[in-house]
Amino acid sequence: MSLLVTGIGQLVTNDPTPRPGMSPLGVFGLPAAEARLGTMADAALIVSGRHIVWSGPRQAAPPADRSMDLGGAAVVPGFVDSHTHLVFAGDRAVEFEARMTGSPYTGGGISVTVEATRQASDEALRAGLRSLRDEAAAQGTTTMEIKSGYGLEVGQEARLLRLAREVTEETTYLGAHVVPGGVQRDVYVESVCGPMLAACAPHARWADVFCEPHSPVAFDADEARAILVAAAQAGLGLRVHGNQLGHGPGVQLAVELGAASVDHCTFVTDEDIEALAATAPMSQDDGRPAAEGSDRGTVATLLPGVEYSTRMPYPDSQRFLEAGAVVALATDCNPGTCYSSSMPWVISLAVRELGMSAAEAVWSATRGGALALRRQDVGWLGPGSLAHLCVLDAPDYRHLAYRPGVPLARGLVLTD
Ligand code: NIG
Ligand code: FE
């Protein structure tokens, strides 16, 4: 069976390989970031199974068994939200309100969510998780990473990962979110590296550590290294929460240990940026989806919703991009530092506050997120990719930044 998708007024492929019918727009005379989007006007796609098998201009499309017309919409790859904490109970609206009037964020509120989450039934957690997943999909997200981290006991962390696995393959063991109250720090680190890891590894693809010397409850470089090394030995890929509250060792540790991503990167030195650029999984001028090397290297994942919700200064994306680091954008959706699942909102913040062009922000929210998860099958649209679309109620991808807060985007996962 095959499905022909037409009525795509503008198609962002993230595949700059020149193809017949790709408008000159996609190749010549444009800044690199725009050329990298591989944009086509009046395009069509053919889907077979779960994959795209053909893309090109509408007039050149071969016949298919059935068809679907998108009415002239702009289509971008479905968003890849590579950083979320969606399995939790309760909310912290009061803490948010206090921050808006000057209280600092230190990570202390995490324990409030841990208490509520431990008390919640599987059904309640599942309902909250699915509702947030659906909320994200309604705004164009088609791939999500989901972390544990609000259980902080062996059985609880494994439970959160089991629930997360019900909705995504991209599950992350974050037993090392904070040291829970009443537990000695070294005893907890031993558990995170030992019995908790053993219980969680079967349900996780990744492990993450909140490496942050500026929080009294997070982990220092030595603790984080021990946890990440143990996780890698257990077969998990690595990610790091680093450099969020002040300068710290997170970026250097992530690069040293070959983590797929270091997330936040709010306070970084030029040396940190050089280290990220030296390990970048692809050159900024080469957006090709199948670049060799995409199974290694460390992406810098920026989370501007966190700076918004904690009133912290925003990082300057151009420091990373000009140096040649690969940048992803993600929501960090969680009840403390950013209770939003909206990738379009993150894109608009990135353009307004991180200094990205719309083209850079859309690429980072799609292909950048895919690289942060070391995925070759998502974050782009063309022969070989999954048919994960984000359809915009707009003629041009720039509207994602131009029309903030307007529900333009919806996720569309196609099969024939
Ligand atoms: O990514 N930095 C640590 N963890 C989360 C916040 C979690 C919370 O405050 O509940 C973050 O910002
Ligand atoms: Fe986070």
Side-chain angles (χ1 to χ4, degrees), residues 211-214 219-225 228 240-244 246-256 262 267 272:
C211 177
E212 181 58 79
H214 301 269
F219 300 87
D220 67 21
D222 291 342
E223 293 163 337
R225 180 183 278 103
L228 292 167
V240 175
H241 278 71
N243 303 59
Q244 175 182 3
H247 183 256
V251 168
Q252 297 292 347
L253 189 63
V255 169
E256 176 197 324
V262 53
F267 296 93
D272 294 333

Side-chain angles (χ1 to χ4, degrees), residues 59 99 339:
Q59 306 88 306
R99 276 201 305 274
Y339 197 5

Side-chain angles (χ1 to χ4, degrees), residues 83 85 92 105 110 150 177 210 241 244 264 332 334 336-337:
H83 184 144
H85 308 243
R92 285 154 49 200
Y105 177 78
I110 293 172
Y150 292 121
H177 200 179
F210 185 17
H241 278 71
Q244 175 182 3
H264 288 286
D332 198 3
N334 75 79
T337 58

Side-chain angles (χ1 to χ4, degrees), residues 57-78:
R58 165 73 187 107
Q59 306 88 306
D65 300 317
R66 59 189 188 94
S67 65
M68 166 189 279
D69 186 338
L70 295 178
V75 170
V76 302

Side-chain angles (χ1 to χ4, degrees), residues 19-293:
R19 288 182 194 284
M22 185 176 283
S23 66
L25 219 187
V27 187
F28 301 111
L30 280 177
E34 284 173 50
R36 207 167 47 158
L37 294 186
T39 305
M40 279 188 216
D42 193 13
L45 298 169
I46 293 190
V47 178
S48 176
R50 298 161 65 222
H51 289 86
I52 292 173
V53 292
W54 183 91
S55 64
R58 165 73 187 107
Q59 306 88 306
D65 300 317
R66 59 189 188 94
S67 65
M68 166 189 279
D69 186 338
L70 295 178
V75 170
V76 302
F79 299 127
V80 180
D81 190 351
S82 59
H83 184 144
T84 81
H85 308 243
L86 293 195
V87 204
F88 65 86
D91 79 48
R92 285 154 49 200
V94 172
E95 181 190 316
F96 171 79
E97 186 178 42
R99 276 201 305 274
M100 292 304 105
T101 51
S103 300
Y105 177 78
T106 59
I110 293 172
S111 62
V112 174
T113 303
V114 169
E115 268 321 297
T117 304
R118 286 179 180 169
Q119 310 281 318
S121 65
D122 285 3
E123 290 65 41
L125 291 174
R126 186 179 282 125
L129 165 65
R130 288 182 183 232
S131 147
L132 286 169
R133 187 267 319 261
D134 293 350
E135 184 181 281
Q139 298 172 88
T141 298
T142 51
T143 303
M144 282 190 121
E145 181 264 13
I146 301 178
K147 301 175 200 298
S148 65
Y150 292 121
L152 309 185
E153 286 168 0
V154 174
Q156 290 279 357
E157 282 294 303
R159 173 170 87 118
L160 302 189
L161 284 164
R162 257 197 335 270
L163 291 166
R165 246 300 138 81
E166 293 176 2
V167 304
T168 185
E169 311 155 41
E170 303 296 344
T171 52
T172 300
Y173 165 49
L174 182 60
H177 200 179
V178 293
V179 179
V183 184
Q184 229 178 281
R185 178 168 275 279
D186 53 341
V187 172
Y188 188 67
V189 171
E190 254 176 54
S191 169
V192 170
C193 296
M196 193 184 283
L197 173 61
C200 289
H203 312 291
R205 177 171 181 219
W206 304 98
D208 194 343
V209 176
F210 185 17
C211 177
E212 181 58 79
H214 301 269
S215 165
V217 284
F219 300 87
D220 67 21
D222 291 342
E223 293 163 337
R225 180 183 278 103
I227 292 162
L228 292 167
V229 166
Q233 277 164 3
L236 302 183
L238 306 183
R239 333 186 61 74
V240 175
H241 278 71
N243 303 59
Q244 175 182 3
L245 304 178
H247 183 256
V251 168
Q252 297 292 347
L253 189 63
V255 169
E256 176 197 324
L257 297 180
S261 180
V262 53
D263 300 38
H264 288 286
C265 296
T266 310
F267 296 93
V268 287
T269 60
D270 290 345
E271 291 69 43
D272 294 333
I273 289 184
E274 276 160 30
L276 285 164
T279 181
M282 81 171 44
S283 134
Q284 284 298 318
D285 299 327
D286 178 2
R288 283 185 175 71
E292 72 292 343

